[in-house]
Amino acid sequence: RNRRKDGTLLIERAMIAPLKQPDGTTTHYVAIKEDITAQHEAEERLHTLALAVEQSPESIVITDLSGCIEYVNKAFVRHSGYERDEVLGRNPRILHSGRTPRAVHDAMWQALSAGEAWSGEFINRRKDGSEYTELANVAPVRRPDGRITHYLAIKADITERKLMAEELEGYR
């Protein structure tokens, strides 16, 4: 870490090697420096983004194009009861309770297959067998060239909200 003439921070990677005389004495050092400031800043932004995703209160699930789970955050673990290693490589259908209408899944896959985002509700089952309702927003993840490589699901547990709405409706 150094300061430029204008006072801004410069982060450099340096390789320093001694120049030796035939008798083995070191007379000089050669330094090869590379400015890695932009790379360091990009890594810091990526680290911040990773922390935000991991610490999100919403469940975040990333799957490959065949639907195999590649990533889940802590909220997913908390809401579903499954540990990461129990779901990685598996399909999110392990959460299916059988109570979400088939038409909901069909509509989701129709939108995703068309390269579009989808939003809707799932009635899922936790590892312990209890049911919960999630409001899911699922979208394709695209490379800069437009190619879809993954699907991203951001899901909020709305079980309590739905129960409260039903209870309120019962009082009316």
XYZ file of all heavy atoms in Angstrom, residues 83-163:
650
model
N -29.737 -28.302 6.357
C -28.378 -27.764 6.326
C -27.946 -27.646 4.866
O -28.468 -28.339 3.991
C -27.420 -28.675 7.093
C -27.702 -28.743 8.588
C -27.553 -27.404 9.284
O -26.679 -26.600 8.885
O -28.317 -27.156 10.234
N -26.960 -26.800 4.623
C -26.471 -26.608 3.252
C -26.081 -27.932 2.596
O -26.470 -28.198 1.466
C -25.269 -25.671 3.248
C -25.618 -24.240 3.338
C -24.383 -23.371 3.095
N -24.801 -21.993 3.071
C -24.484 -21.110 3.999
N -23.711 -21.448 5.005
N -24.908 -19.871 3.914
N -25.297 -28.727 3.298
C -24.790 -29.950 2.674
C -25.903 -30.960 2.378
O -25.702 -31.886 1.603
C -23.676 -30.581 3.503
C -24.110 -30.986 4.905
O -25.228 -30.648 5.325
O -23.307 -31.647 5.593
N -27.076 -30.770 2.960
C -28.204 -31.658 2.687
C -28.935 -31.282 1.400
O -29.670 -32.105 0.861
C -29.213 -31.627 3.839
C -28.680 -32.200 5.130
C -29.688 -32.090 6.252
O -30.031 -30.960 6.648
O -30.140 -33.163 6.724
N -28.754 -30.039 0.940
C -29.497 -29.597 -0.249
C -28.619 -29.325 -1.462
O -29.121 -29.336 -2.587
C -30.368 -28.353 0.057
C -31.409 -28.673 1.110
C -29.526 -27.159 0.454
N -27.340 -29.083 -1.266
C -26.474 -28.804 -2.411
C -26.473 -29.995 -3.353
O -26.324 -31.142 -2.933
C -25.052 -28.461 -1.964
C -24.910 -27.170 -1.166
C -23.454 -26.933 -0.781
C -25.455 -25.971 -1.924
N -26.695 -29.712 -4.636
C -26.762 -30.770 -5.644
C -28.141 -31.379 -5.799
O -28.364 -32.182 -6.696
N -29.067 -31.008 -4.932
C -30.426 -31.542 -4.996
C -31.357 -30.519 -5.620
O -31.048 -29.343 -5.729
C -30.916 -31.919 -3.599
C -30.036 -33.048 -3.021
C -30.513 -33.562 -1.733
N -31.795 -34.272 -1.861
C -32.482 -34.705 -0.825
N -32.047 -34.501 0.403
N -33.619 -35.341 -0.995
N -32.537 -30.961 -5.993
C -33.541 -30.093 -6.593
C -34.394 -29.479 -5.485
O -34.691 -30.160 -4.498
C -34.410 -30.908 -7.557
C -35.292 -30.034 -8.397
O -36.250 -29.460 -7.902
N -34.966 -29.941 -9.674
N -34.823 -28.226 -5.637
C -35.662 -27.598 -4.620
C -36.984 -28.332 -4.366
O -37.659 -28.056 -3.381
C -35.932 -26.193 -5.175
C -34.784 -25.925 -6.081
C -34.430 -27.264 -6.676
N -37.318 -29.289 -5.217
C -38.572 -30.027 -4.980
C -38.534 -30.818 -3.678
O -39.565 -31.283 -3.229
C -38.944 -30.896 -6.174
C -38.139 -32.133 -6.373
C -38.660 -32.999 -7.528
N -38.646 -32.314 -8.791
C -37.681 -32.411 -9.703
N -36.643 -33.184 -9.476
N -37.755 -31.744 -10.824
N -37.362 -30.931 -3.042
C -37.324 -31.582 -1.727
C -38.175 -30.818 -0.716
O -38.561 -31.369 0.312
C -35.883 -31.755 -1.180
C -35.219 -30.412 -0.926
C -35.045 -32.616 -2.086
C -33.920 -30.505 -0.156
N -38.490 -29.552 -1.036
C -39.322 -28.732 -0.160
C -40.818 -28.888 -0.451
O -41.642 -28.413 0.331
C -38.953 -27.252 -0.300
C -37.515 -26.869 0.033
C -37.278 -25.397 -0.291
C -37.190 -27.161 1.483
N -41.156 -29.537 -1.566
C -42.569 -29.612 -1.965
C -43.402 -30.327 -0.908
O -43.047 -31.409 -0.441
C -42.716 -30.348 -3.293
C -42.218 -29.567 -4.456
N -42.421 -29.953 -5.749
C -41.511 -28.408 -4.532
C -41.863 -29.084 -6.575
N -41.306 -28.145 -5.858
N -44.506 -29.701 -0.594
C -45.448 -30.295 0.362
C -46.528 -31.085 -0.364
O -47.252 -31.850 0.263
C -46.111 -29.188 1.179
O -46.944 -28.386 0.326
N -46.660 -30.868 -1.671
C -47.741 -31.487 -2.426
C -48.996 -30.627 -2.422
O -49.983 -30.961 -3.074
N -48.950 -29.503 -1.711
C -50.126 -28.636 -1.625
C -50.054 -27.425 -2.546
O -51.049 -26.720 -2.691
C -50.326 -28.195 -0.186
C -50.678 -29.388 0.706
C -51.158 -28.989 2.052
N -51.290 -27.552 2.179
C -52.215 -26.917 2.894
N -53.085 -27.605 3.550
N -52.236 -25.612 2.975
N -48.924 -27.163 -3.148
C -48.837 -26.085 -4.137
C -49.430 -26.624 -5.432
O -48.999 -27.674 -5.920
C -47.374 -25.654 -4.369
O -46.807 -25.245 -3.132
C -47.283 -24.526 -5.382
N -50.406 -25.928 -6.017
C -51.009 -26.418 -7.265
C -49.956 -26.611 -8.358
O -49.030 -25.801 -8.494
C -51.998 -25.315 -7.641
C -52.296 -24.611 -6.357
C -51.039 -24.699 -5.547
N -50.104 -27.681 -9.117
C -49.180 -27.990 -10.217
C -49.072 -26.817 -11.183
O -48.004 -26.546 -11.741
C -49.655 -29.259 -10.934
C -48.796 -29.668 -12.094
C -47.497 -30.280 -11.609
N -46.581 -30.388 -12.722
C -45.284 -30.304 -12.617
N -44.730 -30.160 -11.443
N -44.512 -30.399 -13.657
N -50.180 -26.098 -11.364
C -50.198 -24.957 -12.293
C -49.199 -23.881 -11.887
O -48.662 -23.174 -12.740
C -51.606 -24.370 -12.369
N -48.934 -23.755 -10.590
C -47.963 -22.761 -10.114
C -46.567 -23.125 -10.610
O -45.842 -22.289 -11.147
C -48.000 -22.663 -8.567
C -46.848 -21.813 -8.046
C -49.334 -22.108 -8.098
N -46.192 -24.392 -10.449
C -44.870 -24.841 -10.921
C -44.777 -24.743 -12.442
O -43.741 -24.330 -12.974
C -44.599 -26.275 -10.470
C -44.478 -26.414 -8.983
N -43.361 -26.015 -8.293
C -45.336 -26.893 -8.058
C -43.530 -26.245 -7.006
N -44.729 -26.774 -6.827
N -45.851 -25.098 -13.128
C -45.856 -25.008 -14.594
C -45.663 -23.569 -15.054
O -44.883 -23.300 -15.979
C -47.161 -25.572 -15.167
C -47.280 -27.079 -14.989
O -46.257 -27.738 -14.699
O -48.409 -27.595 -15.131
N -46.363 -22.634 -14.402
C -46.239 -21.219 -14.777
C -44.822 -20.708 -14.523
O -44.270 -19.951 -15.327
C -47.254 -20.381 -14.002
N -44.229 -21.152 -13.418
C -42.868 -20.723 -13.112
C -41.911 -21.207 -14.208
O -41.128 -20.427 -14.740
C -42.414 -21.261 -11.756
C -40.980 -20.877 -11.415
S -40.326 -21.709 -9.960
C -40.175 -23.387 -10.554
N -41.981 -22.492 -14.545
C -41.057 -23.032 -15.546
C -41.329 -22.469 -16.934
O -40.402 -22.292 -17.723
C -41.071 -24.557 -15.534
C -40.237 -25.054 -14.402
C -40.661 -25.680 -13.274
C -38.823 -24.907 -14.265
N -39.604 -25.924 -12.432
C -38.460 -25.466 -13.021
C -37.828 -24.349 -15.058
C -37.148 -25.495 -12.561
C -36.519 -24.381 -14.603
C -36.195 -24.944 -13.378
N -42.581 -22.149 -17.219
C -42.895 -21.530 -18.517
C -42.217 -20.162 -18.611
O -41.604 -19.832 -19.623
C -44.407 -21.400 -18.687
C -44.799 -20.841 -20.036
C -46.315 -20.779 -20.204
O -47.081 -21.091 -19.283
N -46.742 -20.389 -21.375
N -42.313 -19.363 -17.536
C -41.672 -18.039 -17.529
C -40.153 -18.171 -17.603
O -39.502 -17.491 -18.401
C -42.083 -17.263 -16.273
N -39.573 -19.042 -16.773
C -38.122 -19.198 -16.769
C -37.607 -19.710 -18.105
O -36.568 -19.258 -18.593
C -37.690 -20.127 -15.631
C -37.915 -19.594 -14.215
C -37.543 -20.650 -13.186
C -37.158 -18.302 -13.973
N -38.327 -20.630 -18.716
C -37.916 -21.170 -20.023
C -37.947 -20.098 -21.101
O -37.206 -20.169 -22.079
C -38.823 -22.334 -20.428
O -38.678 -23.393 -19.503
N -38.802 -19.093 -20.905
C -38.878 -17.974 -21.846
C -37.873 -16.879 -21.486
O -37.846 -15.823 -22.112
C -40.297 -17.414 -21.870
N -37.065 -17.120 -20.447
C -36.065 -16.138 -20.040
C -36.638 -15.007 -19.204
O -36.020 -13.959 -19.068
N -37.818 -15.219 -18.623
C -38.488 -14.175 -17.849
C -38.473 -14.509 -16.361
O -38.377 -15.669 -15.978
C -39.941 -14.034 -18.323
C -40.056 -13.653 -19.781
C -41.483 -13.750 -20.301
O -42.386 -14.188 -19.536
O -41.686 -13.414 -21.469
N -38.638 -13.475 -15.552
C -38.758 -13.658 -14.112
C -40.177 -14.103 -13.774
O -41.112 -13.899 -14.553
C -38.429 -12.361 -13.390
N -40.320 -14.713 -12.600
C -41.628 -15.202 -12.141
C -41.760 -14.909 -10.661
O -40.779 -14.923 -9.910
C -41.720 -16.703 -12.392
C -42.960 -17.328 -11.846
C -44.168 -17.434 -12.475
C -43.125 -17.928 -10.566
N -45.076 -18.054 -11.655
C -44.456 -18.372 -10.472
C -42.285 -18.122 -9.475
C -44.963 -18.997 -9.343
C -42.780 -18.746 -8.345
C -44.108 -19.186 -8.287
N -42.985 -14.650 -10.229
C -43.268 -14.429 -8.817
C -44.534 -15.185 -8.447
O -45.502 -15.204 -9.225
C -43.461 -12.927 -8.548
O -43.697 -12.714 -7.179
N -44.518 -15.824 -7.286
C -45.690 -16.558 -6.842
C -45.454 -17.173 -5.476
O -44.411 -16.966 -4.864
N -46.440 -17.933 -5.004
C -46.376 -18.540 -3.685
C -46.224 -20.055 -3.762
O -46.827 -20.691 -4.622
C -47.648 -18.220 -2.883
C -47.750 -16.785 -2.483
C -48.995 -16.500 -1.651
O -49.648 -17.455 -1.161
O -49.308 -15.313 -1.493
N -45.428 -20.571 -2.846
C -45.271 -22.013 -2.674
C -45.681 -22.391 -1.259
O -45.353 -21.678 -0.309
C -43.809 -22.452 -2.847
C -43.240 -22.249 -4.211
C -42.113 -21.466 -4.386
C -43.805 -22.858 -5.311
C -41.564 -21.289 -5.637
C -43.267 -22.687 -6.576
C -42.145 -21.904 -6.739
N -46.357 -23.504 -1.125
C -46.584 -24.093 0.182
C -45.545 -25.198 0.298
O -45.636 -26.216 -0.393
C -48.016 -24.650 0.328
C -49.035 -23.542 0.081
C -48.197 -25.271 1.708
C -50.457 -24.038 -0.068
N -44.550 -24.979 1.122
C -43.417 -25.892 1.235
C -43.438 -26.646 2.559
O -44.189 -26.321 3.468
C -42.100 -25.139 1.073
C -41.824 -24.769 -0.371
O -42.304 -25.427 -1.281
N -41.061 -23.721 -0.584
N -42.560 -27.649 2.627
C -42.440 -28.464 3.831
C -41.001 -28.385 4.333
O -40.055 -28.611 3.588
C -42.800 -29.913 3.512
C -42.815 -30.818 4.730
C -43.223 -32.233 4.367
N -44.378 -32.268 3.497
C -45.642 -32.458 3.913
N -45.890 -32.652 5.158
N -46.632 -32.473 3.054
N -40.868 -28.063 5.620
C -39.550 -28.031 6.252
C -39.046 -29.459 6.463
O -39.794 -30.423 6.353
C -39.633 -27.335 7.610
C -39.916 -25.863 7.535
C -39.924 -25.234 8.935
N -40.235 -23.827 8.849
C -41.464 -23.317 8.937
N -42.506 -24.099 9.124
N -41.648 -22.019 8.840
N -37.802 -29.556 6.828
C -37.205 -30.860 7.109
C -37.976 -31.591 8.207
O -38.148 -32.807 8.152
C -35.740 -30.682 7.510
C -35.019 -31.989 7.743
C -33.573 -31.750 8.102
C -32.878 -33.068 8.400
N -31.474 -32.860 8.765
N -38.486 -30.845 9.198
C -39.227 -31.467 10.296
C -40.666 -31.833 9.935
O -41.412 -32.342 10.759
C -39.204 -30.577 11.550
C -40.007 -29.280 11.398
O -40.720 -29.091 10.376
O -39.927 -28.436 12.313
N -41.073 -31.548 8.684
C -42.416 -31.908 8.221
C -43.435 -30.797 8.317
O -44.522 -30.901 7.740
N -43.137 -29.723 9.039
C -44.086 -28.614 9.143
C -44.128 -27.835 7.833
O -43.147 -27.779 7.091
C -43.718 -27.702 10.312
O -42.443 -27.112 10.108
N -45.276 -27.261 7.565
C -45.459 -26.512 6.325
C -45.248 -25.021 6.559
O -45.485 -24.514 7.655
C -46.850 -26.757 5.751
C -47.007 -28.155 5.207
C -48.360 -28.382 4.552
O -49.250 -27.511 4.638
O -48.530 -29.457 3.956
N -44.837 -24.359 5.506
C -44.692 -22.906 5.525
C -44.948 -22.386 4.130
O -44.815 -23.111 3.142
C -43.329 -22.475 6.058
C -42.130 -22.866 5.232
C -41.365 -21.904 4.591
C -41.730 -24.198 5.103
C -40.244 -22.248 3.848
C -40.621 -24.556 4.372
C -39.879 -23.583 3.743
O -38.778 -23.928 3.002
N -45.370 -21.132 4.056
C -45.684 -20.514 2.768
C -44.610 -19.491 2.449
O -44.226 -18.690 3.305
C -47.063 -19.834 2.820
O -48.034 -20.802 3.206
C -47.438 -19.259 1.461
N -44.141 -19.540 1.206
C -43.113 -18.604 0.759
C -43.609 -17.822 -0.446
O -44.234 -18.390 -1.345
C -41.836 -19.331 0.349
C -41.066 -19.916 1.498
C -39.758 -20.520 1.048
O -39.760 -21.382 0.157
O -38.726 -20.115 1.614
N -43.318 -16.538 -0.437
C -43.497 -15.707 -1.614
C -42.156 -15.723 -2.331
O -41.150 -15.270 -1.773
C -43.892 -14.282 -1.239
C -44.007 -13.303 -2.410
C -45.067 -13.779 -3.405
C -44.333 -11.914 -1.899
N -42.148 -16.286 -3.525
C -40.890 -16.477 -4.254
C -40.805 -15.563 -5.466
O -41.787 -15.373 -6.187
C -40.771 -17.928 -4.708
N -39.639 -15.004 -5.666
C -39.295 -14.277 -6.882
C -38.130 -15.044 -7.495
O -37.071 -15.144 -6.873
C -38.883 -12.840 -6.572
C -40.049 -12.034 -6.057
O -40.971 -11.741 -6.797
N -40.034 -11.715 -4.778
N -38.365 -15.593 -8.679
C -37.358 -16.430 -9.331
C -37.019 -15.783 -10.670
O -37.916 -15.391 -11.420
C -37.872 -17.873 -9.549
C -36.766 -18.761 -10.090
C -38.461 -18.442 -8.259
N -35.729 -15.690 -10.962
C -35.301 -15.027 -12.192
C -34.078 -15.727 -12.772
O -33.269 -16.284 -12.040
C -34.965 -13.565 -11.915
N -33.958 -15.661 -14.091
C -32.742 -16.177 -14.724
C -31.553 -15.271 -14.399
O -31.716 -14.063 -14.249
C -33.044 -16.120 -16.226
C -34.464 -15.713 -16.372
C -34.925 -15.171 -15.061
N -30.383 -15.868 -14.280
C -29.135 -15.123 -14.113
C -28.438 -15.160 -15.467
O -28.211 -16.240 -16.018
C -28.242 -15.750 -13.019
C -26.914 -15.014 -12.926
C -28.965 -15.749 -11.679
N -28.128 -13.994 -15.990
C -27.540 -13.896 -17.333
C -26.096 -13.414 -17.294
O -25.741 -12.551 -16.502
C -28.336 -12.898 -18.178
C -29.767 -13.272 -18.417
C -30.436 -12.205 -19.292
N -31.869 -12.335 -19.322
C -32.540 -13.234 -20.018
N -31.901 -14.099 -20.743
N -33.850 -13.268 -19.990
N -25.311 -13.962 -18.183
C -23.948 -13.475 -18.428
C -24.068 -12.179 -19.236
O -25.132 -11.882 -19.780
C -23.143 -14.507 -19.235
C -22.878 -15.776 -18.475
C -21.747 -15.538 -17.533
N -21.438 -16.777 -16.823
C -20.840 -16.806 -15.677
N -20.479 -15.691 -15.095
N -20.585 -17.935 -15.073
N -22.996 -11.409 -19.345
C -23.060 -10.170 -20.132
C -23.511 -10.391 -21.579
O -24.137 -9.507 -22.179
C -21.621 -9.639 -20.080
C -21.098 -10.162 -18.782
C -21.718 -11.537 -18.637
N -23.245 -11.576 -22.140
C -23.670 -11.843 -23.515
C -25.139 -12.261 -23.607
O -25.633 -12.569 -24.686
C -22.769 -12.900 -24.169
C -22.868 -14.275 -23.504
O -23.692 -14.462 -22.579
O -22.111 -15.175 -23.919
N -25.853 -12.291 -22.462
C -27.274 -12.633 -22.454
C -27.565 -14.095 -22.184
O -28.719 -14.476 -21.963
N -26.540 -14.919 -22.183
C -26.727 -16.353 -21.949
C -27.135 -16.603 -20.506
O -26.546 -16.078 -19.576
C -25.412 -17.071 -22.267
C -25.452 -18.569 -22.191
C -24.131 -19.171 -22.676
N -22.974 -18.546 -22.065
C -22.316 -19.041 -21.023
N -22.692 -20.175 -20.483
N -21.276 -18.415 -20.523
N -28.187 -17.403 -20.316
C -28.670 -17.747 -18.981
C -27.836 -18.915 -18.455
O -27.683 -19.930 -19.130
C -30.168 -18.116 -19.012
C -30.989 -16.905 -19.459
C -30.631 -18.621 -17.656
C -32.446 -17.209 -19.739
N -27.316 -18.748 -17.234
C -26.455 -19.784 -16.655
C -27.015 -20.385 -15.373
O -26.642 -21.495 -15.004
C -25.054 -19.221 -16.344
O -25.191 -18.151 -15.405
C -24.363 -18.732 -17.610
N -27.867 -19.647 -14.687
C -28.398 -20.082 -13.396
C -29.781 -19.482 -13.188
O -30.198 -18.604 -13.941
C -27.488 -19.629 -12.238
C -26.160 -20.272 -12.240
N -25.108 -19.825 -13.004
C -25.698 -21.348 -11.561
C -24.057 -20.599 -12.806
N -24.389 -21.529 -11.936
N -30.428 -19.941 -12.129
C -31.673 -19.314 -11.680
C -31.465 -18.857 -10.243
O -30.841 -19.554 -9.439
C -32.850 -20.290 -11.744
C -33.160 -20.736 -13.152
C -32.999 -22.064 -13.518
C -33.598 -19.829 -14.110
C -33.274 -22.480 -14.814
C -33.870 -20.236 -15.402
C -33.708 -21.562 -15.750
O -33.978 -21.967 -17.031
N -32.001 -17.689 -9.935
C -31.914 -17.101 -8.613
C -33.314 -17.006 -8.025
O -34.214 -16.447 -8.667
C -31.313 -15.693 -8.701
C -31.416 -14.810 -7.457
C -30.551 -15.366 -6.339
C -31.023 -13.381 -7.795
N -33.505 -17.564 -6.842
C -34.775 -17.466 -6.139
C -34.559 -16.705 -4.839
O -33.665 -17.037 -4.057
C -35.343 -18.848 -5.847
N -35.379 -15.683 -4.633
C -35.388 -14.936 -3.386
C -36.770 -15.153 -2.796
O -37.784 -14.811 -3.429
C -35.089 -13.443 -3.610
C -33.727 -13.287 -4.288
C -35.145 -12.680 -2.287
C -33.398 -11.878 -4.717
N -36.803 -15.759 -1.602
C -38.077 -16.213 -1.054
C -38.274 -15.700 0.365
O -37.389 -15.832 1.203
C -38.139 -17.741 -1.075
C -37.871 -18.324 -2.463
C -38.006 -19.810 -2.537
C -37.054 -20.545 -1.646
N -37.234 -21.995 -1.687
N -39.459 -15.154 0.605
C -39.822 -14.652 1.938
C -40.826 -15.608 2.565
O -41.811 -15.998 1.927
C -40.425 -13.258 1.824
N -40.581 -15.961 3.810
C -41.519 -16.791 4.560
C -42.692 -15.894 4.965
O -42.529 -14.982 5.778
C -40.830 -17.387 5.784
C -41.712 -18.331 6.577
O -42.949 -18.295 6.422
O -41.166 -19.114 7.375
N -43.859 -16.148 4.384
C -45.034 -15.320 4.657
C -46.095 -16.099 5.429
O -47.257 -15.715 5.452
C -45.626 -14.731 3.354
C -46.055 -15.831 2.387
C -44.633 -13.765 2.707
C -46.867 -15.337 1.205
N -45.699 -17.159 6.085
C -46.634 -18.009 6.819
C -47.418 -17.207 7.848
O -48.660 -17.266 7.872
C -45.878 -19.161 7.508
O -45.078 -19.833 6.545
C -46.842 -20.134 8.156
N -46.715 -16.468 8.696
C -47.385 -15.698 9.747
C -48.303 -14.640 9.158
O -49.415 -14.431 9.641
C -46.353 -15.050 10.676
C -45.589 -16.036 11.531
C -46.494 -16.831 12.468
O -47.417 -16.245 13.059
O -46.276 -18.055 12.588
N -47.848 -13.972 8.126
C -48.655 -12.935 7.482
C -49.953 -13.523 6.941
O -51.023 -12.948 7.091
C -47.849 -12.281 6.358
C -48.551 -11.115 5.726
C -47.801 -10.429 4.607
N -46.395 -10.720 4.515
C -45.672 -10.519 3.423
N -46.225 -10.039 2.333
N -44.392 -10.789 3.409
N -49.860 -14.692 6.311
C -51.059 -15.343 5.767
C -51.998 -15.782 6.886
O -53.214 -15.632 6.764
C -50.665 -16.531 4.891
C -49.898 -16.080 3.673
C -50.115 -16.749 2.397
C -51.350 -17.393 2.051
N -51.918 -16.961 0.788
N -51.446 -16.322 7.967
C -52.286 -16.738 9.090
C -53.003 -15.544 9.717
O -54.192 -15.634 10.056
C -51.444 -17.465 10.145
C -50.940 -18.853 9.762
C -49.980 -19.385 10.823
C -52.096 -19.809 9.542
